[in-house]
mmCIF file of all heavy atoms in Angstrom:
data_model
loop_
_atom_site.group_PDB
_atom_site.id
_atom_site.type_symbol
_atom_site.label_atom_id
_atom_site.label_comp_id
_atom_site.label_asym_id
_atom_site.label_seq_id
_atom_site.Cartn_x
_atom_site.Cartn_y
_atom_site.Cartn_z
ATOM 1 N N THR A 204 -121.551 -63.783 101.494
ATOM 2 C CA THR A 204 -122.067 -62.605 102.194
ATOM 3 C C THR A 204 -123.087 -61.862 101.326
ATOM 4 O O THR A 204 -124.132 -61.428 101.811
ATOM 5 C CB THR A 204 -120.918 -61.661 102.592
ATOM 6 O OG1 THR A 204 -119.992 -62.409 103.389
ATOM 7 C CG2 THR A 204 -121.406 -60.469 103.400
ATOM 8 N N GLU A 205 -122.794 -61.732 100.007
ATOM 9 C CA GLU A 205 -123.745 -61.072 99.101
ATOM 10 C C GLU A 205 -125.106 -61.770 99.118
ATOM 11 O O GLU A 205 -126.147 -61.128 99.174
ATOM 12 C CB GLU A 205 -123.216 -61.105 97.658
ATOM 13 C CG GLU A 205 -122.289 -59.955 97.310
ATOM 14 C CD GLU A 205 -121.559 -60.220 96.001
ATOM 15 O OE1 GLU A 205 -122.115 -60.932 95.143
ATOM 16 O OE2 GLU A 205 -120.423 -59.711 95.859
ATOM 17 N N ARG A 206 -125.075 -63.113 99.040
ATOM 18 C CA ARG A 206 -126.330 -63.875 99.018
ATOM 19 C C ARG A 206 -127.098 -63.717 100.322
ATOM 20 O O ARG A 206 -128.310 -63.519 100.325
ATOM 21 C CB ARG A 206 -126.039 -65.358 98.783
ATOM 22 C CG ARG A 206 -125.593 -65.619 97.373
ATOM 23 C CD ARG A 206 -125.180 -67.053 97.198
ATOM 24 N NE ARG A 206 -124.577 -67.251 95.892
ATOM 25 C CZ ARG A 206 -123.723 -68.212 95.595
ATOM 26 N NH1 ARG A 206 -123.360 -69.073 96.529
ATOM 27 N NH2 ARG A 206 -123.239 -68.329 94.389
ATOM 28 N N GLN A 207 -126.389 -63.810 101.431
ATOM 29 C CA GLN A 207 -127.088 -63.733 102.713
ATOM 30 C C GLN A 207 -127.647 -62.320 102.917
ATOM 31 O O GLN A 207 -128.757 -62.160 103.433
ATOM 32 C CB GLN A 207 -126.169 -64.195 103.851
ATOM 33 C CG GLN A 207 -125.513 -63.105 104.633
ATOM 34 C CD GLN A 207 -124.357 -63.591 105.496
ATOM 35 O OE1 GLN A 207 -123.898 -64.735 105.444
ATOM 36 N NE2 GLN A 207 -123.874 -62.689 106.308
ATOM 37 N N ASP A 208 -126.930 -61.302 102.454
ATOM 38 C CA ASP A 208 -127.419 -59.918 102.599
ATOM 39 C C ASP A 208 -128.714 -59.710 101.799
ATOM 40 O O ASP A 208 -129.639 -59.061 102.274
ATOM 41 C CB ASP A 208 -126.352 -58.912 102.139
ATOM 42 C CG ASP A 208 -125.207 -58.820 103.138
ATOM 43 O OD1 ASP A 208 -125.321 -59.422 104.226
ATOM 44 O OD2 ASP A 208 -124.191 -58.159 102.818
ATOM 45 N N TRP A 209 -128.764 -60.270 100.566
ATOM 46 C CA TRP A 209 -129.968 -60.127 99.740
ATOM 47 C C TRP A 209 -131.165 -60.781 100.430
ATOM 48 O O TRP A 209 -132.240 -60.193 100.539
ATOM 49 C CB TRP A 209 -129.747 -60.746 98.349
ATOM 50 C CG TRP A 209 -130.957 -60.645 97.470
ATOM 51 C CD1 TRP A 209 -131.439 -59.525 96.848
ATOM 52 C CD2 TRP A 209 -131.873 -61.703 97.131
ATOM 53 N NE1 TRP A 209 -132.584 -59.824 96.143
ATOM 54 C CE2 TRP A 209 -132.869 -61.154 96.298
ATOM 55 C CE3 TRP A 209 -131.931 -63.068 97.454
ATOM 56 C CZ2 TRP A 209 -133.917 -61.912 95.775
ATOM 57 C CZ3 TRP A 209 -132.972 -63.828 96.942
ATOM 58 C CH2 TRP A 209 -133.950 -63.251 96.105
ATOM 59 N N LEU A 210 -130.966 -62.010 100.922
ATOM 60 C CA LEU A 210 -132.065 -62.735 101.581
ATOM 61 C C LEU A 210 -132.521 -62.006 102.841
ATOM 62 O O LEU A 210 -133.712 -61.941 103.137
ATOM 63 C CB LEU A 210 -131.630 -64.167 101.904
ATOM 64 C CG LEU A 210 -131.506 -65.078 100.682
ATOM 65 C CD1 LEU A 210 -130.639 -66.290 100.999
ATOM 66 C CD2 LEU A 210 -132.881 -65.533 100.189
ATOM 67 N N ASN A 211 -131.578 -61.426 103.589
ATOM 68 C CA ASN A 211 -131.944 -60.696 104.806
ATOM 69 C C ASN A 211 -132.719 -59.430 104.466
ATOM 70 O O ASN A 211 -133.658 -59.055 105.164
ATOM 71 C CB ASN A 211 -130.702 -60.374 105.633
ATOM 72 C CG ASN A 211 -130.201 -61.602 106.372
ATOM 73 O OD1 ASN A 211 -130.996 -62.468 106.754
ATOM 74 N ND2 ASN A 211 -128.894 -61.703 106.558
ATOM 75 N N GLU A 212 -132.336 -58.780 103.367
ATOM 76 C CA GLU A 212 -133.035 -57.584 102.926
ATOM 77 C C GLU A 212 -134.470 -57.938 102.511
ATOM 78 O O GLU A 212 -135.410 -57.230 102.838
ATOM 79 C CB GLU A 212 -132.271 -57.024 101.728
ATOM 80 C CG GLU A 212 -132.498 -55.567 101.402
ATOM 81 C CD GLU A 212 -131.643 -55.209 100.200
ATOM 82 O OE1 GLU A 212 -130.391 -55.330 100.311
ATOM 83 O OE2 GLU A 212 -132.223 -54.879 99.154
ATOM 84 N N MET A 213 -134.648 -59.058 101.788
ATOM 85 C CA MET A 213 -135.972 -59.471 101.323
ATOM 86 C C MET A 213 -136.855 -59.925 102.488
ATOM 87 O O MET A 213 -138.072 -59.773 102.446
ATOM 88 C CB MET A 213 -135.863 -60.614 100.300
ATOM 89 C CG MET A 213 -135.109 -60.278 99.021
ATOM 90 S SD MET A 213 -135.741 -58.835 98.150
ATOM 91 C CE MET A 213 -137.249 -59.459 97.425
ATOM 92 N N SER A 214 -136.247 -60.506 103.505
ATOM 93 C CA SER A 214 -136.961 -60.931 104.717
ATOM 94 C C SER A 214 -138.271 -61.674 104.400
ATOM 95 O O SER A 214 -139.359 -61.298 104.852
ATOM 96 C CB SER A 214 -137.244 -59.686 105.572
ATOM 97 O OG SER A 214 -137.669 -60.059 106.848
ATOM 98 N N PHE A 215 -138.154 -62.765 103.629
ATOM 99 C CA PHE A 215 -139.321 -63.520 103.198
ATOM 100 C C PHE A 215 -140.081 -64.124 104.380
ATOM 101 O O PHE A 215 -139.481 -64.513 105.371
ATOM 102 C CB PHE A 215 -138.912 -64.648 102.235
ATOM 103 C CG PHE A 215 -138.391 -64.143 100.914
ATOM 104 C CD1 PHE A 215 -137.086 -64.400 100.521
ATOM 105 C CD2 PHE A 215 -139.208 -63.396 100.066
ATOM 106 C CE1 PHE A 215 -136.603 -63.948 99.300
ATOM 107 C CE2 PHE A 215 -138.728 -62.932 98.854
ATOM 108 C CZ PHE A 215 -137.428 -63.207 98.469
#
Side-chain angles (χ1 to χ4, degrees):
T204 303
E205 274 167 29
R206 288 174 188 155
Q207 99 195 8
D208 287 353
W209 179 74
L210 288 161
N211 284 329
E212 201 179 299
M213 298 305 286
S214 192
F215 293 117

